Amino acid sequence: MKDLYGVLGDPIAHSISPEMHNDAFRDNKMNAHYHAFQVSSERLADAVKGMNALGVRGFNVTIPHKTAIMPYLDRIDPLAKVIGAVNTVKLEDGLFVGYNTDGRGFVNGLKESLSAPLSSLNCLIIGAGGAARAIYYTLVEQGIGSITVCNRTVEKAEKLTEDHPDAEERRVIRLDEAEKGLQQYDLVINTTSIGMKPDTEAMPIALDKLKASAFVSDIIYNPLETTFLKTARQKGAAIQNGLPMFIHQGAQAFEIWTGIKPDTSRMKRIVLEKLGG
Ligand code: ATR
């Protein structure tokens, strides 16, 4: 009998996760299957109960359920708790335990391309949603030099930094302040959905003051190069799209479920084929 895994989301039809994980199961000769489940917010509690009753070994959680699912789980890992969102659930002794692999996935992906140590970098995060929280906490945990958050709603950015237990120095600015002071930052990360299909011309902030030696990252991978990244590249900056984060968050989830580190270059090939890139 196959072990069952999956992802819960709404919408979920275009998810690339099933191809990526099913290929990793095949590659590791595991008798397992990963399925995309379309679950509305109203049915989320029932879905979690049903997954448990059916003995589903593990699953991912995506938009819009990453925070809403937390009360329905039996235990939450401390990092996921502080982030306030769960993207990975594992069945442990009959109980569902929630984890968050987005932040670690982002940082593992970043380290593939970054030559400087994190401790030498002044970082600017744009946005203060769930993805920003995961990335912020992981970068702080990994010893980033300094970190500033800018967001349209400044209060949300303040809440993000205040929620961090170890944050001594909380730097929060408006979007226009970020634009004016952009030359201070070595690492600039867009965590908002601005620039995602179909509104691909939009940019979260203007990049006029970006320094040419900066590294600019966008968590969006559809399109593979957002206008934000294209503009940064034209200014001489090194760029990275959201694919490494997507792949590494998936690889971390796979490892939580199975104890096996999957082949991330193979995962990347599968995802690129699916995206037609
Ligand atoms: P996620 O959990 O995927 O990170 P989210 O919690 O909805 O998504 O967060 C979206 C982020 O994108 C927020 O920082 C949001 O800014 P606000 O906190 O001010 O809402 C930002 N965002 C989304 N659309 C935006 C827009 N048109 N202009 C500026 N910021 C935007």
Side-chain angles (χ1 to χ4, degrees):
M1 205 169 73
K2 280 187 193 293
D3 288 339
L4 191 60
Y5 295 85
V7 55
L8 306 187
D10 184 17
I12 200 68
H14 297 292
S15 172
I16 319 165
S17 295
E19 272 88 349
M20 187 171 81
H21 285 290
N22 283 324
D23 181 74
F25 286 138
R26 270 194 300 277
D27 189 34
N28 289 286
K29 311 214 169 7
M30 294 179 62
N31 191 22
H33 179 74
Y34 184 108
H35 187 80
F37 295 97
Q38 164 89 35
V39 176
S40 67
S41 296
E42 299 75 52
R43 304 304 305 273
L44 182 62
D46 288 344
V48 175
K49 263 193 198 153
M51 303 280 265
N52 193 299
L54 294 170
V56 170
R57 296 299 182 98
F59 58 93
N60 287 126
V61 187
T62 188
I63 291 168
H65 305 317
K66 286 187 183 185
T67 298
I69 198 164
M70 295 174 79
Y72 309 127
L73 300 175
D74 301 298
R75 208 148 47 80
I76 311 277
D77 163 77
L79 179 64
K81 202 174 272 177
V82 74
I83 290 169
V86 161
N87 79 325
T88 301
V89 176
K90 185 189 181 194
L91 188 68
E92 297 177 11
D93 300 324
L95 301 177
F96 275 150
V97 184
Y99 296 88
N100 191 306
T101 69
D102 283 334
R104 207 57 70 72
F106 176 82
V107 173
N108 286 353
L110 183 67
K111 282 180 174 169
E112 283 184 344
S113 307
L114 208 58
S115 42
L118 286 176
S119 58
S120 69
L121 303 178
N122 293 320
C123 171
L124 175 71
I125 291 186
I126 308 164
R133 291 178 73 93
I135 291 170
Y136 179 90
Y137 295 138
T138 312
L139 285 173
V140 170
E141 181 194 88
Q142 303 240 339
I144 188 87
S146 81
I147 191 158
T148 302
V149 183
C150 64
N151 194 42
R152 176 179 59 181
T153 313
V154 171
E155 297 73 34
K156 212 164 137 191
E158 280 166 351
K159 175 91 172 64
L160 183 163
T161 61
E162 282 162 14
D163 285 349
H164 194 283
D166 311 322
E168 286 159 22
E169 205 180 350
R170 298 188 183 116
R171 303 176 195 221
V172 171
I173 56 177
R174 296 189 311 265
L175 295 176
D176 63 305
E177 292 173 318
E179 289 177 343
K180 282 188 205 111
L182 204 54
Q183 67 282 354
Q184 300 167 52
Y185 302 105
D186 312 298
L187 174 60
V188 179
I189 306 164
N190 174 42
T191 72
T192 76
S193 52
I194 302 169
M196 200 188 286
K197 273 186 183 170
D199 194 9
T200 56
E201 290 302 308
M203 301 232 293
I205 60 170
L207 291 175
D208 304 306
K209 299 265 172 66
L210 183 75
K211 58 181 181 186
S213 60
F215 188 100
V216 178
S217 176
D218 198 324
I219 69 164
I220 295 169
Y221 55 84
N222 199 6
L224 287 168
E225 188 176 84
T226 55
T227 302
F228 186 65
L229 286 186
K230 183 174 164 206
T231 309
R233 179 169 56 75
Q234 286 166 346
K235 294 192 74 77
I239 59 168
Q240 182 173 58
N241 65 22
L243 268 192
M245 176 182 180
F246 176 73
I247 288 156
H248 284 277
Q249 64 74 32
Q252 292 270 313
F254 192 90
E255 194 178 342
I256 286 174
W257 295 326
T258 66
I260 296 168
K261 279 189 204 302
D263 178 350
T264 49
S265 54
R266 192 175 159 121
M267 286 175 138
K268 185 173 177 189
R269 202 175 64 233
I270 297 279
V271 169
L272 276 175
E273 271 169 22
K274 176 84 180 173
L275 288 172

